[in-house]
Amino acid sequence: MSMIEPVEDTHGFPFTEGATKFEIIPTDAADPSSATFVVHDEDHTLGNSLRFMVMKNPAVSFCGYSIPHPSEFKIHMRIQTDGSITAAQALNQGLDDLVALSEHVLATFEAKVAAKGDYETRDI
Amino acid sequence: MPDTASSVAEMRKRVVLHADRVAHPSSMEFPGNFPGEDLAWDLERFKKDFRIVIGHIGKDDMEFDMIGVDAAVANAFRRILIGEVPTMAIEKVFVINNTSIMHDEILAQRLGLIPIKADPQAFALRRGTADEPTDLNTIVFKLTVRCEKNLDAPAGAVHPDDKFINSNVLSSHLSWVPQGEQETRFADDPCRPVIPDILITKMRPGQEIDLEAHCQKGIGKEHAKWSPVATASYRLLPDIQILKPITGDAATRFAKCFPPGVIAVSPNAAGIPEATVVNPRKDTVSREVLRHAEFEDKVRLTRIRDHFIFSIESTGIIRPEKLFPEAANILIKKCKALKAALAASGALDSGAGGE
């Protein structure tokens, strides 16, 4: 059976292709240490897990997200840092960390599934 | 009451359940929250503490423990399992004839919910109506059923199954019509409903249904029919703390407040029956024990904050142990897509600070 090369994903929702993914609402053009990032086509799934990762960064003094309106499919993610890095860098770091975490969870899970005999298998 | 230091330590590791509320449910493990502690993200430390223990894997369900991860991340996996892992489901129904008592739109809605055994990765998304249906994005089924009298039925037959032919329209009546290369591509695993005996509707002699159904790829966020799981859920591992010994008849009454197997009553060193916690995993945390004044101050019901008991029930399209890796990959893809969009916005170039 031949596999189809998966289409470049539309980040979850099939019918919003070509729409803007990402915008920045700066609080102050001269101060890159705080900004609100608008991420389209995302919800609590990425919002809350990314908020957690960004908050784990000691250079971040505040991070929170909101869904400004339930019928608009987007999140607002507010990041404020202590000035040692920009808000955008904190977001980028958070994304890297979340990818690293997910990759480790995935690798651990697959290793455990491969270790047959360590768990019960049922036929029903 | 425990002293402050130990109660803070417990607050960080446990979610405490009181009769009328749940105390400190949210995580506090962030840098700056506790003096002298480095709570910054550290991948190596995470790798050291993180564990997965698989309980069982069945044909359609699995249970495993995920230990050492924050609820924000565990919840992301759960949400993706329910809403964002794609499958194939009937999306368009072309009704040629329907004389059954079920209206066309209800029939179409019921058809949509039938899990279709087809590898979603072998198909492409069909985006809107501008995208032509092809053998790469659409599976076609025909449902042609006519109910008739069973002329061979014994004279005294009363049951409709005996009196009539095709009085029950089942998912097995859906016949796959391979398009283009589908016949060769799926020769060893033909597209079909996962379960053959799902009742779609009932008919009586003279009624018939003749329709064509088109399956498309989609995700549960748009419609639950595309969700690959019957449900995916997690609960936190309960931890029952007995603060003062519970002995004698009270021990038996105490054990009765919990599901069987959670509490054991056995003679202690002095030979008096005493209650001990043997299997907190079985506890449903009904909080029944908190209704009894005699156990006040003797027990504390808690849950371990970072110990998730995950349960995945597949609809049968994708094997349960394949579902979780798909969800993890989708989360990784989401992050990478956002990272690319962030880089493209140029926000990373205008650097302040050290880097």
Side-chain angles (χ1 to χ4, degrees):
Chain A
M1 190 179 76
S2 62
M3 285 295 204
I4 288 189
E5 199 53 42
V7 223
E8 202 35 61
D9 216 81
T10 50
H11 329 299
F13 219 64
F15 300 115
T16 43
E17 199 194 9
T20 331
K21 177 72 184 162
F22 182 74
E23 291 167 71
I24 299 171
I25 308 172
T27 29
D28 174 359
D31 176 19
S33 73
S34 73
T36 299
F37 301 98
V38 184
V39 187
H40 293 269
D41 303 343
E42 292 296 351
D43 54 14
H44 300 286
T45 304
L46 190 67
N48 196 26
S49 49
L50 192 56
R51 175 206 59 95
F52 164 76
M53 283 318 308
V54 174
M55 277 174 79
K56 276 290 213 180
N57 188 339
V60 171
S61 35
F62 178 83
C63 178
Y65 80 101
S66 71
I67 294 177
H69 192 282
S71 42
E72 285 181 279
F73 195 19
K74 65 176 183 185
I75 55 173
H76 279 190
M77 178 156 279
R78 164 82 181 180
I79 299 176
Q80 196 162 323
T81 70
D82 59 9
S84 61
I85 57 170
T86 65
Q89 284 165 343
L91 179 64
N92 195 46
Q93 181 64 46
L95 287 164
D96 284 341
D97 290 343
L98 192 52
V99 168
L101 178 148
S102 307
E103 280 171 349
H104 180 68
V105 171
L106 175 61
T108 312
F109 183 87
E110 291 194 319
K112 290 288 178 186
V113 169
K116 289 185 168 38
D118 285 2
Y119 55 85
E120 183 194 343
T121 42
R122 296 178 186 168
D123 292 334
I124 49 153
Chain B
M1 281 301 286
D3 62 273
T4 317
S6 73
S7 79
V8 168
E10 171 162 297
M11 202 191 285
R12 290 171 64 177
K13 291 195 180 71
R14 297 285 186 277
V15 177
V16 183
L17 295 113
H18 299 284
D20 57 343
R21 71 203 153 95
V22 179
H24 31 81
S26 42
S27 169
M28 287 167 283
E29 305 299 299
F30 296 109
N33 277 7
F34 299 99
E37 271 190 70
D38 173 29
L39 294 168
W41 176 249
D42 179 349
L43 186 60
E44 291 313 309
R45 193 163 52 197
F46 170 74
K47 284 183 175 174
K48 206 168 104 281
D49 296 339
F50 179 75
R51 280 193 302 138
I52 283 180
V53 181
I54 296 180
H56 76 263
I57 298 181
K59 191 165 71 65
D60 289 333
D61 68 324
M62 75 177 297
E63 188 177 273
F64 63 96
D65 292 21
M66 191 190 277
I67 306 152
V69 76
D70 192 82
V73 179
N75 195 37
F77 290 131
R78 184 193 63 84
R79 286 175 62 98
I80 293 172
L81 279 167
I82 295 171
E84 297 188 47
V85 175
T87 63
M88 300 294 287
I90 292 174
E91 166 70 356
K92 298 230 156 39
V93 177
F94 303 92
V95 181
I96 297 147
N97 191 9
N98 174 19
T99 57
S100 78
I101 56 156
M102 188 169 283
H103 297 176
D104 293 0
E105 60 271 33
I106 310 295
L107 192 62
Q109 131 85 358
R110 290 179 65 80
L111 288 167
L113 293 169
I114 297 170
I116 302 293
K117 183 88 178 169
D119 182 3
Q121 289 199 30
F123 291 91
L125 278 173
R126 187 180 163 208
R127 291 158 205 223
T129 42
D131 237 2
E132 286 294 310
T134 68
D135 61 333
L136 298 181
N137 61 25
T138 306
I139 306 172
V140 178
F141 285 98
K142 268 193 187 305
L143 181 65
T144 312
V145 195
R146 188 182 162 79
C147 180
E148 273 157 14
K149 277 190 181 137
N150 184 4
L151 299 176
D152 302 330
V158 277
H159 199 277
D161 287 358
D162 302 327
K163 280 160 69 185
F164 314 126
I165 297 164
N166 287 337
S167 64
N168 290 340
V169 183
L170 303 174
S171 53
S172 56
H173 285 121
L174 283 166
S175 63
W176 179 40
V177 187
Q179 306 292 310
E181 291 177 357
Q182 285 179 356
E183 189 147 34
T184 46
R185 285 174 70 213
F186 305 111
D188 32 338
D189 193 17
C191 303
R192 61 188 186 277
V194 174
I195 302 149
D197 57 351
I198 299 172
L199 183 62
I200 299 169
T201 186
K202 292 195 172 194
M203 294 199 295
R204 284 299 175 263
Q207 296 181 339
E208 68 172 298
I209 289 175
D210 185 8
L211 58 82
E212 189 171 298
H214 289 194
C215 299
Q216 289 176 16
K217 190 170 170 174
I219 55 172
K221 199 152 63 174
E222 190 187 350
H223 192 294
K225 68 184 176 185
W226 278 300
S227 184
V229 292
T231 191
S233 62
Y234 59 69
R235 62 193 179 103
L236 294 174
L237 180 69
D239 176 33
I240 303 158
Q241 298 168 0
I242 296 177
L243 306 173
K244 286 177 197 157
I246 299 165
T247 53
D249 289 347
T252 318
R253 290 196 296 277
F254 182 75
K256 275 193 177 162
C257 293
F258 297 89
V262 175
I263 305 289
V265 180
S266 47
N268 60 10
I272 308 161
E274 186 176 341
T276 48
V277 181
V278 285
N279 192 357
R281 198 186 169 90
K282 277 191 172 172
D283 190 22
T284 55
V285 197
S286 65
R287 299 193 247 185
E288 168 68 14
V289 70
L290 301 179
R291 298 176 65 230
H292 300 268
E294 62 172 325
F295 301 124
E296 214 173 300
D297 302 332
K298 285 192 173 172
V299 65
R300 184 158 49 215
L301 299 181
T302 69
R303 288 179 183 273
I304 300 171
R305 190 186 290 287
D306 65 347
H307 189 134
F308 297 89
I309 303 173
F310 251 91
S311 153
I312 300 176
E313 289 174 43
S314 166
T315 54
I317 299 170
I318 306 172
R319 284 197 59 88
E321 72 270 25
K322 301 274 179 226
L323 277 167
F324 187 80
E326 287 230 15
N329 276 321
I330 288 170
L331 184 58
I332 293 170
K333 242 184 352 194
K334 274 173 177 293
C335 292
K336 288 190 171 162
L338 181 52
K339 205 174 137 62
L342 173 64
S345 75
L348 290 170
D349 310 332
S350 57
E355 289 169 78

